[in-house]
Amino acid sequence: MSSLPRRAKTQAQNVEPKDEFSFFSELSSDSEENDKDDQEDSIWEPQKKVPRNRKQPASKESKRKQKPRVKKNTPRMDDESKDVAVKEELNSPVAIVNADLEEKNQKLRTTKTLKTAGKKQKNSAPRAKKKLKVNEETSQASSLEGGTSNMETASTSSTCEDVCKKEERKEDFTFAQSPLKRVKTEACPQGKPVKFPEGANSIKEEVEMNWDIVQVLSERTDIDPWVCANIIRLFNDDNTIPFIVRYRKELVNNLDGDSLREVRQTLDELRAVAKKVHSTIQKIKKEGKMSECLLKALLNCKTFEELEHVSAPYKTGSKGTKAQRAKQLGLEGAARTLLENPGQLNLLSYIRPDVKGLSELQDIETGVQHILADMIAKDRETLDFIRDLCQHRYICIQSSLAKVSSKKVNEKDVDKFHLYQNFSCNIRSIHHHQILAINRGENLKILTVKVNIPDGVKNEFCRWCIQNRWRPRGFARPELMKILHASLDDSFKRLIVPLLCREFRAKLTSDAEKQSVMMFGQNLRQLLLTSPVPGRTLMGVDPGYKHGCKLAIISPTSQILHTDVVYLHCGQGFREAEKIKRLLLEFNCSTVVIGNGTACRETEAYFADLIMRNYFAPLDVVYCIVSEAGASIYSVSPEANKEMPGLDPNLRSAVSIARRVQDPLAELVKIEPKHIGVGMYQHDVSQTLLKATLDSVVEECVSFVGVDINICSEVLLRHIAGLNANRAKNIIEWREKNGPFINREQLKKVKGLGPKSFQQCAGFIRVNQDYIRTFCSSQATDSSGQSQGAATLTSEKLSKKKNTADVTLTPNPLDQTCIHPESYNIAVRFLSFIGGMLHEIGKPEMQQKINSSLGKEGIEKIAERLETTTHTLQVIIDGLSQPESFDFRTDFDKPDFKRSIVCLEDLQVGTVLTGKVENATLFGVFVDIGVGKSGLIPIRNITEAKLSKTKKRRSLGLGPGERVEVKVLSIDIPRSRISLDLLRVL
């Protein structure tokens, strides 16, 4: 991969290139162009740009005028090179520096004007010459190749306007800013931060605030500003997280998907705050209450809590605060005089016997006190001081049993919160799961929660205010100082403490929700990437009592072979055993998959007993337990009805249970992620945040595993990066109408799949070469005798269709790899460098040649020789060396197949068992040890030393599906609780 572009719009758009997207400058430019770019960097100085500012508007106008222009061919190929360059320049959307020249060419279109323009172009600045030369090369390449262009420009996101298909880009990757702002990402292609010119990291947002969004984002996420700026640009350009993680690593400093999701969430929050601030400003302006100080305070808000605090008195329909009512009585001047010139303040002069609120001296003192309290509570410096002071003091959050509980609250629910009925903890050390539990208890009216700020904070705050910030500028009489002290006390208790409590609670809740959602995402990823069990015939069992156990036998290709219902727990177990044995022998099935729902324990004991008695001989039958969460919801969904028409919904559940073992990813993507049941407090967190995160995790998993475009389902295709339900449907319809895809280039012919969508999805879509060869050979056999006439007819039809002739209908072996089409030319050059051939992809010979070349020079030197980055070259090496059927999920754990069963009563303290992680939370990990109840490994028992090198994670956590060895620490049979200690990860 490479750095961001310096010229994002220097691509010839009068023709369609072979590769839908151009490459980064580092991937394509030769050593001579790199030298020129280095010289160009020295030219791009702020001082050199000053005299050219007056021509900028004309350049923008000229670019806008190019959109409706009709593409024309140049008939005179024997003109001078300078004339051809200028005329080709007119057919290109590149912004010509001399805008006046371009405007004349649009009007006159004469050879004389073109020649004159060529002379003017020679006299223009070096920068203009540089751009003209680039476009001259583009034009020559276009004319020589007859309508196709292989020019590799600096952007993979800028594409031809002729093939945009309604996916117009809103703005350029570098936001059409000056070249200095493009130097930023160009200067750090290897992901190493460098010192950029002033303003290089600035991002122009739709809503302007008094703070820089890049700096605030960097502070909140603890990520370098240059990386944050790149991430914002990538997201603004509609790049997906899987695409960024795999093909733009150097631009985000090798951040993973979880980190990018965290940055995007924080970015969305900041933008939401900015949007709400400006809507609040507009409302206040309409009411005529806006002042310069209020506007500044609003534009300084970075959180919703700050905005609420500042804007609360100005809400429509509000009765007004005590301070506002005092100001309406004309006491604001008295309050300011008390601070600025207390010697001249005479409160008796404000007494008005006939006016309510001014009739007595006590009322006037109270009004002045309210105004001063309001001024103190809204002062930025004062709030910063009290926040900093709280950071260094013991602030605790306390919860207790509510005195008046709701009548609807069940006593069992009250018992669930016995740990929090007299709870107190420092807000800096409280765990996230404790915050979520307290919040749930408060919402159920079971708990009362408060934040306790000690009196020492108040005393130090009042002392600082009197001595520093709110000290009167002259001698103040004792009665006036008494008013000031009362104002500080009132401001702290009535205004500042509630604000701080809201901020603390909001911050704790927000962090806890984010951690909960992140944990859900990690568990979901681990579950989706469970290693598949291909090549087996499976029997899925959906357990039940009265309505029987539903059976479904599926083939190794997931086809439904047989469905049935057996009644194992109604006194008919021996008779039904004969039916089960007959089905297993008939379909040669030796693996039984049991859902973990109702009657799971009894069904497991039933099969374990038959297996122990060797009832199914000669078959060596094994069984496993899988989660059936979401299976019932899916069985009655329109997708299930479309996939299995006419089948009873109960039997569909059994089919889904079996397929979850055969290919977990393909089956679980059919279910809404939040119904899979591997989260914690998932119903208490923001549902919008949860859905966005889980959908992103599913997209990442499906994309990284990849899909075979010719056999994958529509449901699976929806979750590929860059695709959605409509595009997936169009791809399936195109495949059914035109036959299988021969190569990735054919995707461009699908309706609704524009350049940006192709760029995002192309690297994650595979075209199986064996399938294509088989299809082509069968087609050739079927069409023998008519092939010549059919080929002629087909060629005539294809030549009449727009852009169809540009798509070569020949298989490309690189389409079966993870290499992106934008890097195909680099992959071909690398193959030439190591002496490899395309037909050797994924074979041992290719691996030997790659290892030999890397051993001689190293990946960095080879990348420099090929004028690319190490990240891009590594992706190419992985794609060339991985076998055709490679699936990285094989490195993950498979289901735990068993033949016997253990009861809870059989357990003893100190017993060592093996089990499978069922769910991971912020307070521990639940492990299925085969006794019907999951045991809990507390988070304190999961240490880095106990995790293997390959199992380490950011949170030192274990994910669903991993096999572990544990020791029983304690057993609570009445409450069915088992406490475990982690020994090692298997």
Side-chain angles (χ1 to χ4, degrees), residues 586-708:
E586 179 181 352
F587 296 101
N588 193 24
C589 175
S590 60
T591 305
V592 179
V593 184
I594 304 173
N596 66 346
T598 305
C600 167
R601 187 67 178 165
E602 291 78 4
T603 306
E604 180 186 7
Y606 178 85
F607 276 95
D609 180 63
L610 294 177
I611 292 173
M612 292 297 292
R613 292 193 286 120
N614 201 21
Y615 182 80
F616 300 115
L619 295 176
D620 182 16
V621 177
V622 295
Y623 72 90
C624 67
I625 308 296
V626 299
S627 172
E628 63 176 36
S632 300
I633 298 176
Y634 166 71
S635 64
V636 295
S637 66
E639 292 294 339
N641 189 36
K642 180 180 178 181
E643 184 179 3
M644 295 174 279
L647 193 64
D648 184 81
N650 295 318
L651 297 174
R652 292 174 186 168
S653 299
V655 174
S656 177
I657 289 172
R659 287 176 175 174
R660 291 185 184 199
V661 172
Q662 196 168 66
D663 191 349
L665 180 62
E667 188 64 25
L668 291 176
V669 295
K670 303 174 184 177
I671 303 167
E672 194 172 355
K674 67 180 182 180
H675 293 148
I676 293 179
V678 290
M680 180 189 70
Y681 295 100
Q682 65 191 66
H683 301 293
D684 297 338
V685 302
S686 169
Q687 295 303 303
T688 303
L689 175 62
L690 180 65
K691 186 178 187 307
T693 302
L694 298 185
D695 289 346
S696 178
V697 170
V698 173
E699 180 185 69
E700 181 182 340
C701 293
V702 176
S703 298
F704 284 173
V705 172
V707 298
D708 188 341

Side-chain angles (χ1 to χ4, degrees), residues 951-979:
K951 299 295 181 181
K952 291 181 182 177
R953 289 177 177 77
R954 290 169 52 191
S955 60
L956 289 181
L958 297 169
E962 296 190 61
R963 299 182 67 249
V964 293
E965 187 177 66
V966 296
K967 182 174 70 173
V968 179
L969 295 180
S970 64
I971 307 171
D972 186 352
I973 294 179
R975 301 173 68 185
S976 298
R977 292 189 177 182
I978 307 170
S979 180

Side-chain angles (χ1 to χ4, degrees), residues 835-894:
M837 303 295 291
L838 288 174
H839 64 81
E840 297 176 343
I841 293 177
K843 297 181 179 179
E845 297 84 1
M846 177 65 71
Q847 186 66 55
Q848 293 176 0
K849 293 178 181 179
I850 292 175
N851 294 338
S852 176
S853 299
L854 293 178
K856 292 179 181 178
E857 296 193 30
I859 189 171
E860 294 183 357
K861 290 186 178 180
I862 296 178
E864 185 178 354
R865 182 192 292 264
L866 296 176
E867 299 170 5
T868 185
T869 62
T870 55
H871 296 292
T872 302
L873 185 57
Q874 186 61 56
V875 173
I876 292 174
I877 291 174
D878 293 341
L880 296 177
S881 58
Q882 291 169 352
E884 184 173 346
S885 59
F886 174 77
D887 189 344
F888 77 94
R889 290 179 294 172
T890 55
D891 297 334
F892 291 79
D893 298 281
K894 293 184 178 180

Side-chain angles (χ1 to χ4, degrees), residues 241-294:
I241 288 179
F243 179 81
I244 296 172
V245 170
R246 176 170 286 182
Y247 300 112
R248 297 293 182 267
K249 280 186 177 181
E250 73 282 351
L251 300 184
V252 295
N253 207 16
N254 293 321
L255 292 179
D256 58 8
D258 290 334
S259 300
L260 290 176
R261 271 185 287 275
E262 184 180 353
V263 173
R264 183 163 64 181
Q265 291 168 8
T266 308
L267 177 63
D268 291 341
E269 288 177 5
L270 291 174
R271 286 176 170 169
V273 170
K275 188 175 181 180
K276 189 169 183 180
V277 165
H278 277 258
S279 65
T280 304
I281 290 174
Q282 296 301 323
K283 290 181 181 178
I284 297 177
K285 282 184 177 179
K286 287 182 179 179
E287 297 173 3
K289 301 178 182 179
M290 182 59 68
S291 63
E292 185 176 350
C293 294
L294 176 59

Side-chain angles (χ1 to χ4, degrees), residues 125-368:
R127 172 66 178 155
K129 293 181 179 179
K130 183 73 177 178
K131 296 182 73 174
L132 185 60
K133 185 170 182 178
V134 171
N135 292 286
E136 180 179 351
E137 294 173 358
T138 306
S139 303
Q140 292 176 354
S142 301
S143 60
L144 290 175
E145 294 178 16
T148 59
S149 173
N150 283 328
M151 185 188 70
E152 300 166 0
T153 60
S155 172
T156 60
S157 56
S158 57
T159 57
C160 299
E161 288 184 356
D162 293 338
V163 293
C164 276
K165 298 182 180 180
K166 300 181 181 180
E167 284 196 8
E168 297 181 1
R169 298 179 50 197
K170 297 180 180 180
E171 51 191 2
D172 183 53
F173 192 77
T174 50
F175 301 90
Q177 296 292 332
S178 59
L180 280 175
K181 295 186 179 180
R182 306 184 186 188
V183 174
K184 177 193 176 311
T185 51
E186 187 76 21
C188 55
Q190 299 299 328
K192 299 177 181 179
V194 296
K195 187 175 181 180
F196 301 106
E198 185 178 356
N201 284 341
S202 62
I203 300 291
K204 186 177 180 181
E205 289 289 310
E206 295 181 2
V207 181
E208 295 291 337
M209 300 291 288
N210 285 350
W211 38 267
D212 182 22
I213 193 169
V214 175
Q215 293 299 326
V216 176
L217 188 63
S218 176
E219 293 170 2
R220 293 193 179 182
T221 58
D222 197 24
I223 295 175
D224 293 334
W226 70 270
V227 179
C228 291
N230 282 352
I231 293 174
I232 294 175
R233 292 186 177 113
L234 287 166
F235 283 146
N236 286 348
D237 202 29
D238 296 329
N239 289 285
T240 60
I241 288 179
F243 179 81
I244 296 172
V245 170
R246 176 170 286 182
Y247 300 112
R248 297 293 182 267
K249 280 186 177 181
E250 73 282 351
L251 300 184
V252 295
N253 207 16
N254 293 321
L255 292 179
D256 58 8
D258 290 334
S259 300
L260 290 176
R261 271 185 287 275
E262 184 180 353
V263 173
R264 183 163 64 181
Q265 291 168 8
T266 308
L267 177 63
D268 291 341
E269 288 177 5
L270 291 174
R271 286 176 170 169
V273 170
K275 188 175 181 180
K276 189 169 183 180
V277 165
H278 277 258
S279 65
T280 304
I281 290 174
Q282 296 301 323
K283 290 181 181 178
I284 297 177
K285 282 184 177 179
K286 287 182 179 179
E287 297 173 3
K289 301 178 182 179
M290 182 59 68
S291 63
E292 185 176 350
C293 294
L294 176 59
L295 179 62
K296 183 178 179 181
L298 288 171
L299 292 177
N300 285 332
C301 294
K302 298 179 184 177
T303 64
F304 287 109
E305 290 72 32
E306 291 183 42
L307 176 60
E308 178 68 20
H309 180 66
V310 174
S311 62
Y314 303 94
K315 287 186 176 179
T316 305
S318 175
K319 296 180 180 179
T321 62
K322 295 180 179 180
Q324 284 181 320
R325 292 196 290 270
K327 289 178 181 179
Q328 292 174 358
L329 295 174
L331 297 178
E332 185 175 8
R336 295 190 178 277
T337 305
L338 190 151
L339 296 174
E340 297 173 359
N341 194 1
Q344 297 183 358
L345 179 60
N346 182 13
L347 295 180
L348 296 175
S349 62
Y350 288 90
I351 295 178
R352 301 289 186 272
D354 55 339
V355 179
K356 184 179 179 180
L358 298 177
S359 58
E360 297 180 2
L361 180 61
Q362 181 64 33
D363 295 337
I364 296 174
E365 291 179 350
T366 303
V368 172

